[in-house]
Amino acid sequence: MNTNARLALLTLPAALLSAWIGASAVTAANLPTTPKENANGASLTVSSTGGIDTANPFFKAMGNGRSCASCHSENAGWSLTPNDLQQRFTLTSGNDPVFKLVDGANSPRAAVASIDQKRLAYSMLLTKGVIRVGIGMPANAEFSLVRVEDPYGYASAAELSLFRRPLPSANLKFLSTVMWDARETIPNAAGPNCILGANPARCFASIDTDLLRQASDAVRGHAEAAQELSAAEQRAIVNFESGLTAAQVSSRSAGVLTESGGRGGPDALAATTFYWGINDFQNGDYRTRAAFNRNVMNLYGAWRNLATAPAPQPVPGRRPPPPAPASSTDQAKASIARGEALFNTRPINVTNTAGFQQGAQRATCSSCHNAPGAGSHSITRLIDIGVSDARFRTPDTPLYTLRNNATGQQLQTTDPGQAMQTGRWADIGKFKVPTLRNLSARPPYFHNGAQPDLASVVRFYDRRFQMGLNQQEITDLANFLAAL
Ligand code: HEC
Ligand code: HEC
């Protein structure tokens, strides 16, 4: 990269910030921070609690020196990225508190005496940004663990090593499920969130209640703290993280995402309504009883016709000149708009997908990512799209062979997901449908970080569900996801 290009990059955030401030009224209630650059442009966080208060206990070192921000960093979309981790590793010679044996390393018994040993010990974290979530086989499970192939020689029935991406600690108002396997979604017969028509009734505590317990579990687990968080600290952490809204605000190719009627960026997202059951694929809107609406994403409709420049004024007596090609920025905007339309309407035949409705195979991306403007799932329903199937296993990941106690059937998986909580054979491989905002800030994707970029995610779906997307459609969908 030449110096000019590098300078242009360096000056980008300030220019973007002023463009953003110019484009939208900054209210005291939603203070922006500084845009953070990523491969596709820049993302921005706004906070309803008045800026990022680093005195909040979210940033306080506990137990082993980690804070919540060790794994939920604004620079990395309130998650972790390999880029950010490699920088931290180099700057601190592997001593940043994120590098702890307990769950940062491939195995808690790894040797870490030299820097080279450390680089090996933390290779999963450094290359995929994944944390080792250790969970023992559930009591009374319908299945048993027959075989463990762990390249790091640690996993056993007492503790499976499940390598998972930190879910972002922002945009939490769009959650219906907490954690990849819902282990912090608390069942509660008297809770406010009940699945319509479920028999027996299935109800859950409020997300706020879930997050309070999640915060205290995180401190005891990841931060190895002997002491519980005080109730006041728990409350302060959850208030802080619940006030964060983060989204891509500009695109390298398409420019500022609020231009020309675009409704990207965190301000519009902060103003987006969500409640549990807002747009369920099966039962529609739990409050208004409106039918399910597949047009979940409505950010970039205004850009659909930008691919061709406006026709020039006709000159009397002259043959009209051919239409001028649209500017490259407008073409990039139009691609994002086409991607949004594909997301809402491109049919997908959903087959062999546990958790997704039987007999409702005709789906779109928005059937599962159905919370308007956010792409999370409107209710607590976990789905197995196959990410942890043995056929997708890479050699750096442990593989588990499970046997159904009743039928003797065996299967192999890199992560049983929800089944590690419920003990049910039918729940193997089920994960929550994650929110799709601020994706550019936090590669890689899926619970195990298997897909390095958004085009790879789209190609995964194309192959998995034989969608038959052409190259242009793959590009358009990826460009759209990158602008969220
Ligand atoms: C060592 C890294 C690490 C630390 C430290 C950490 N987390 Fe996490 N966090 C994770 C991982 C990994 C997940 C996803 C794990 C899973 O679902 O199995 C997660 C999930 C979450 C989620 C769930 C979001 C969702 O969409 O369901 C929230 C909220 C969260 N963390 C908040 C916190 C808070 C608050 C703290 C500090 C008290 C904290 N985390 C400390 C790694 C970390
Ligand atoms: C049948 C339900 C279903 C359909 C249809 C579906 N998704 Fe997903 N999506 C999921 C689930 C479940 C996950 C989490 C999978 C995992 O990590 O194991 C996910 C994860 C993702 C992620 C990764 C997010 C992250 O934080 O890592 C992206 C991006 C995504 N989907 C985009 C799409 C697009 C684009 C389409 C349409 C081509 C689509 N999805 C269709 C259920 C679905």
Side-chain angles (χ1 to χ4, degrees):
M1 194 190 296
N2 68 31
T3 316
N4 274 349
R6 207 173 285 143
L7 272 179
L9 270 186
L10 282 175
T11 52
L12 190 70
L16 280 172
L17 181 60
S18 46
W20 184 80
I21 289 174
S24 62
V26 176
T27 59
N30 268 318
L31 287 173
T33 59
T34 337
K36 308 288 180 201
E37 278 182 52
N38 54 53
N40 301 318
S43 89
L44 183 69
T45 300
V46 296
S47 162
S48 64
T49 54
I52 306 297
D53 173 14
T54 50
N56 187 282
F58 187 92
F59 296 94
K60 186 173 127 185
M62 320 213 186
N64 58 12
R66 279 177 175 168
S67 70
C68 308
S70 301
C71 299
H72 299 281
S73 155
E74 188 190 356
N75 289 329
W78 300 98
S79 173
L80 290 171
T81 60
N83 250 341
D84 190 51
L85 287 160
Q86 282 160 26
Q87 273 181 25
R88 280 200 243 171
F89 189 89
T90 308
L91 282 174
T92 65
S93 307
N95 290 321
D96 183 287
V98 76
F99 304 108
K100 290 285 176 209
L101 280 171
V102 58
D103 60 2
N106 304 344
S107 155
R109 291 198 289 255
V112 288
S114 70
I115 185 94
D116 288 335
Q117 285 179 334
K118 275 189 199 168
R119 198 170 281 117
L120 268 182
Y122 295 105
S123 66
M124 287 295 274
L125 186 54
L126 287 167
T127 58
K128 291 180 170 172
V130 284
I131 293 292
R132 195 188 62 84
V133 178
I135 301 181
M137 285 289 288
N140 309 318
E142 293 171 1
F143 51 88
S144 343
L145 181 64
V146 186
R147 204 161 110 88
V148 174
E149 291 164 54
D150 178 3
Y152 317 109
Y154 180 76
S156 72
E159 190 178 320
L160 270 59
S161 289
L162 308 168
F163 290 92
R164 295 183 185 166
R165 298 274 297 134
L167 284 153
S169 62
N171 301 334
L172 298 179
K173 86 167 181 189
F174 301 104
L175 296 189
S176 57
T177 305
V178 181
M179 310 308 260
W180 283 112
D181 52 12
R183 70 181 177 283
E184 300 286 5
T185 300
I186 305 169
N188 178 348
N193 301 328
C194 301
I195 295 182
L196 271 184
N199 189 14
R202 288 185 64 206
C203 298
F204 303 91
S206 72
I207 294 294
D208 186 68
T209 306
D210 296 345
L211 291 174
L212 288 168
R213 191 178 83 179
Q214 193 280 335
S216 92
D217 287 350
V219 166
R220 267 186 287 115
H222 306 302
E224 302 173 272
Q227 265 209 317
E228 295 275 340
L229 283 178
S230 72
E233 282 173 321
Q234 252 175 307
R235 187 70 265 163
I237 287 175
V238 174
N239 285 354
F240 168 79
E241 61 183 5
S242 301
L244 301 175
T245 305
Q248 190 77 350
V249 72
S250 81
S251 151
R252 284 211 197 295
S253 52
V256 175
L257 296 173
T258 47
E259 268 174 11
S260 314
R263 303 204 300 120
D267 247 10
L269 183 59
T272 300
T273 304
F274 178 83
Y275 46 84
W276 208 91
I278 190 169
N279 187 33
D280 180 39
F281 179 67
Q282 201 166 24
N283 288 306
D285 187 323
Y286 276 35
R287 290 198 187 165
T288 67
R289 306 302 302 127
F292 168 70
N293 179 356
R294 72 176 186 174
N295 292 316
V296 160
M297 293 293 181
N298 291 292
L299 281 64
Y300 297 117
W303 292 358
R304 295 231 43 197
N305 299 320
L306 289 175
T308 44
Q313 284 296 320
V315 181
R318 286 225 203 131
R319 200 165 350 130
S327 71
S328 69
T329 329
D330 279 354
Q331 285 177 25
K333 285 192 172 89
S335 166
I336 291 173
R338 287 194 302 270
E340 179 175 77
L342 288 167
F343 184 91
N344 289 335
T345 62
R346 173 80 190 213
I348 306 176
N349 273 322
V350 176
T351 48
N352 299 324
T353 302
F356 197 71
Q357 278 81 4
Q358 299 258 311
Q361 283 88 355
R362 209 73 177 144
T364 60
C365 302
S366 58
S367 307
C368 294
H369 298 281
N370 57 27
S376 49
H377 202 77
S378 295
I379 64 168
T380 305
R381 180 193 287 129
L382 285 77
I383 298 174
D384 174 13
I385 59 167
V387 174
S388 64
D389 282 7
R391 63 187 154 135
F392 299 124
R393 183 221 184 177
T394 48
D396 58 357
T397 306
L399 184 70
Y400 304 100
T401 306
L402 305 174
R403 185 181 52 228
N404 184 319
N405 294 338
T407 66
Q409 188 192 344
Q410 293 201 4
L411 65 69
Q412 293 189 310
T413 177
T414 54
D415 190 334
Q418 193 186 19
M420 291 301 283
Q421 303 305 312
T422 61
R424 291 182 56 216
W425 180 256
D427 291 339
I428 294 174
K430 286 187 189 169
F431 291 89
K432 82 161 180 171
V433 181
T435 308
L436 297 183
R437 299 307 302 261
N438 210 27
L439 288 166
S440 287
R442 51 182 171 89
Y445 305 102
F446 289 142
H447 70 266
N448 55 4
Q451 302 303 336
D453 54 42
L454 293 164
S456 312
V457 170
V458 175
R459 282 192 293 265
F460 170 88
Y461 280 106
D462 186 39
R463 281 194 300 266
R464 169 69 180 78
F465 296 113
Q466 294 166 345
M467 291 177 67
L469 295 171
N470 64 35
Q471 190 50 51
Q472 186 62 53
E473 290 170 322
I474 292 173
T475 305
D476 290 346
L477 254 175
N479 286 347
F480 165 65
L481 295 172
L484 286 173

